Amino acid sequence: MVAQPHRLAGGREITLPFSKAVEISISNLKIRFGRSLITTSGVILAIAFLMSVWSSNAIVEELRAANKSEINLLLQKNGIDTGLTDAGHASAEAAARMREEKSKQTWLITLSLLVCVVGIANAMLMSVTERFREIGTMKCLGALDSFIVRLFLLESTFQGSAGTAVGIVIGFLLTLFLALLDYGTYVFRYFPTAGILRSALAALVVGTLLSLVGAMLPAYRAAKMEPVAAMRSDT
Amino acid sequence: MTEERRTVVRTQNVKKLYHMGNVEVHALRGVNVEIFAGEYLSIMGPSGSGKSTFFNMVGGLDKPSEGKVYIDEVDVAQLDAYELAWLRCRKIGYIFQSFNLIPVMTALENVTLPMVFAGLTSDEARDKGMELLKKVGLAERHSHKPYELSGGQQQRVAVARALANDPAVVLADEPTANLDLRTGTEIIELLRAMNETSGVTVISATHDHKMLSVSDRVVWVKDGRVDHIANRQELQIEITKVAGE
């Protein structure tokens, strides 16, 4: 008689509670803190760059909107078109210059974020290769592919969102400092609170998504590892 | 058939063929073995004999190219990924040559992980985990991480982990290979004691001749075939022969 296993089962299935998965992935990050820090620094840099571009745009926008002659003077000194130039053709030229500037910015941001994703994927792939025995063992203990995927995605997401948070703070503070040098306390008088918060939130989403995307292929590779890998005795 | 002769693992003309480039490697050339509940079975054989392949088949870690493997009367080849994971979680306990404790977890967490997978609540798992750690003599070290434990202690934790979900079979892959003589003997005796008290079937692949004296039966694998099977009575003679070689 060939019985199916679920008929032999005590009825209960195989599970990995979310809280347990969180616990495992956090301790995984802790034990490899140095390595996590290096991976995370990539995220920090990329997000700091993104945040500084966004927040300096927001600050400048707000100052331009204030439309005060002394501020406009400062803006023009920093090469920013205030939209108040006397000659119409000069203004069009300035607008074109700004558009070009904008697209260059977008290009730079895209590039830096791409480099960041590749960095995350690379680090996670290394981590997967290194942990073949651990992954194999988990599978021998009854872990499903989805458990392994969940662990790696969680790990990368935690790492990514922590890095993103730090990046946001660094990027913002740096921009604020530079803006203070350029425009003095006008920055505080016309502070774009809503714009900065919106940028921070967007950056948080972008950073977390990037870490998730970067970890997808490695997590899939890990999940497809055979349990027999646990038996390998080399390395 | 009496209760104690119930079959837990049965292989039927199991063959395994590997392709290494253009070369075909016959790791197993037709193996028929029946393993009974509650027995302590050792699989012996030189490296390259097909011993590991056979061992992995019996443990549901590898599927045969031909023939059938039944674990608890279930044909392993018929199982999907979920059912295989279920089988590994509840029916089989694994013990590895390199201990393979999860490095980020304490001894207790390592022992309870299979229970978590099996859906026990954390209270149930903790109680049962402590019970098992007590049995292997490590209750007071339950909060230690693997790197804070000696090799022998790590392997004890691994034994406790293997027994977590009261499996039908414990598979031990060279469990003493990374241990010194005395610690190795202790692990073998521990496995034997677990086998006697809880009636769990122990199947171990080994080169270690210390294993022979505790085994009920020894399967000798050679060139992808079962060379011969020695049972307890014959073993004494085998050991003398081996020692004389």
Side-chain angles (χ1 to χ4, degrees):
Chain A
M1 182 203 69
V2 178
Q4 286 310 301
H6 49 261
R7 242 180 278 157
L8 295 169
R12 284 196 279 197
E13 73 279 15
I14 318 173
T15 55
L16 177 61
F18 188 71
S19 58
K20 189 73 189 174
V22 169
E23 195 187 311
I24 296 173
S25 40
I26 287 183
S27 43
N28 262 321
L29 285 175
K30 266 198 222 146
I31 208 163
R32 295 176 183 82
F33 188 71
R35 168 89 64 76
S36 308
L37 218 59
I38 295 174
T39 319
T40 313
S41 61
V43 182
I44 295 178
L45 288 175
I47 294 298
F49 177 60
L50 177 73
M51 186 62 193
S52 84
V53 169
W54 279 353
S55 50
S56 86
N57 284 351
I59 289 173
V60 167
E61 267 325 300
E62 195 76 11
L63 290 175
R64 280 178 66 190
N67 205 2
K68 286 263 167 29
S69 56
E70 61 273 32
I71 300 177
N72 284 343
L73 214 63
L74 283 171
L75 283 169
Q76 277 167 357
K77 218 173 79 188
N78 286 293
I80 290 152
D81 172 45
T82 55
L84 291 175
T85 32
D86 21 45
H89 70 275
S91 172
E93 198 180 280
R97 206 176 54 229
M98 276 189 77
R99 263 204 308 281
E100 197 185 317
E101 192 78 8
K102 261 257 155 47
S103 72
K104 218 183 273 173
Q105 255 181 18
T106 315
W107 172 235
L108 274 178
I109 290 174
T110 315
L111 258 185
S112 77
L113 294 182
L114 272 178
V115 169
C116 170
V117 174
V118 172
I120 294 170
N122 183 36
M124 290 302 278
L125 273 176
M126 259 177 68
S127 169
V128 167
T129 317
E130 200 180 76
R131 281 146 75 176
F132 69 88
R133 184 173 290 137
E134 194 181 322
I135 297 164
T137 306
M138 284 229 181
K139 294 195 115 182
C140 282
L141 300 182
L144 295 168
D145 289 7
S146 61
F147 296 4
I148 310 288
V149 168
R150 199 181 310 166
L151 288 176
F152 275 94
L153 289 188
L154 274 176
E155 202 173 297
S156 183
T157 308
F158 286 139
Q159 189 169 289
S161 45
T164 304
V166 175
I168 288 172
V169 172
I170 291 180
F172 169 68
L173 288 180
L174 209 68
T175 310
L176 186 67
F177 175 71
L178 291 176
L180 280 175
L181 286 186
D182 285 342
Y183 309 111
T185 50
Y186 288 123
V187 175
F188 289 124
R189 204 172 318 154
Y190 301 102
F191 189 74
T193 316
I196 295 287
L197 283 180
R198 220 177 309 123
S199 306
L201 207 67
L204 193 65
V205 172
V206 168
T208 310
L209 276 182
L210 288 184
S211 325
L212 208 59
V213 169
M216 270 176 185
L217 174 74
Y220 178 79
R221 281 261 305 260
K224 286 291 155 222
M225 227 171 239
E226 292 292 328
V228 77
M231 301 278 182
R232 262 169 58 192
S233 48
D234 50 329
T235 55
Chain B
M1 198 178 272
T2 58
E3 181 56 27
E4 58 170 0
R5 295 297 276 179
R6 193 173 64 86
T7 306
V8 263
V9 180
R10 187 155 52 94
T11 68
Q12 232 171 45
N13 198 27
V14 164
K15 292 181 184 167
K16 183 72 181 183
L17 191 68
Y18 289 111
H19 293 275
M20 290 187 158
N22 294 325
V23 190
E24 287 188 342
V25 182
H26 293 268
L28 292 176
R29 301 161 185 271
V31 177
N32 293 292
V33 173
E34 221 170 324
I35 301 169
F36 303 108
E39 96 176 309
Y40 192 117
L41 184 105
S42 293
I43 302 167
M44 285 245 172
S47 42
S49 61
K51 177 187 59 170
S52 302
T53 311
F54 176 63
F55 181 77
N56 292 342
M57 298 272 174
V58 168
L61 296 175
D62 203 348
K63 286 182 180 177
S65 317
E66 231 181 279
K68 299 234 181 258
V69 177
Y70 297 96
I71 298 177
D72 241 8
E73 292 306 318
V74 176
D75 181 0
V76 176
Q78 302 290 324
L79 302 180
D80 61 25
Y82 187 92
E83 293 167 322
L84 267 176
W86 184 94
L87 186 84
R88 289 180 194 125
C89 184
R90 286 159 195 268
K91 290 285 169 192
I92 305 172
Y94 297 89
I95 297 171
F96 308 92
Q97 183 176 340
S98 42
F99 322 136
N100 289 18
L101 298 181
I102 309 295
V104 298
M105 295 184 182
T106 64
L108 181 62
E109 285 168 338
N110 264 288
V111 177
T112 54
L113 187 63
M115 304 180 199
V116 172
F117 289 162
L120 260 65
T121 67
S122 40
D123 284 350
E124 289 169 334
R126 199 192 49 233
D127 292 348
K128 197 173 175 195
M130 282 308 291
E131 198 61 40
L132 283 167
L133 280 176
K134 211 176 287 168
K135 275 191 193 159
V136 299
L138 284 174
E140 74 287 358
R141 318 216 88 187
H142 66 91
S143 60
H144 288 231
K145 293 270 171 70
Y147 59 84
E148 298 165 325
L149 299 169
S150 71
Q153 288 170 333
Q154 287 187 47
Q155 198 63 305
R156 279 167 183 276
V157 175
V159 170
R161 181 178 66 182
L163 295 167
N165 288 328
D166 305 309
V169 181
V170 165
L171 279 168
D173 175 40
E174 309 262 4
T176 59
N178 286 351
L179 298 173
D180 62 49
L181 190 74
R182 218 193 60 200
T183 331
T185 312
E186 278 170 20
I187 291 294
I188 292 170
E189 276 162 9
L190 178 67
L191 277 172
R192 181 74 216 190
M194 293 298 180
N195 163 256
E196 275 166 1
T197 54
S198 66
V200 64
T201 313
V202 177
I203 303 171
S204 90
T206 185
H207 292 107
D208 190 344
H209 287 124
K210 295 194 292 294
M211 277 288 198
L212 291 181
S213 55
V214 298
S215 303
D216 294 322
R217 285 197 299 161
V218 179
V219 177
W220 299 81
V221 180
K222 207 171 151 188
D223 295 328
R225 289 200 178 84
V226 173
D227 193 54
H228 66 286
I229 300 178
N231 54 34
R232 209 167 176 73
Q233 296 89 298
E234 299 154 3
L235 277 171
Q236 215 41 50
I237 309 156
E238 292 283 349
I239 294 165
T240 347
K241 212 173 83 190
V242 167
E245 269 172 7

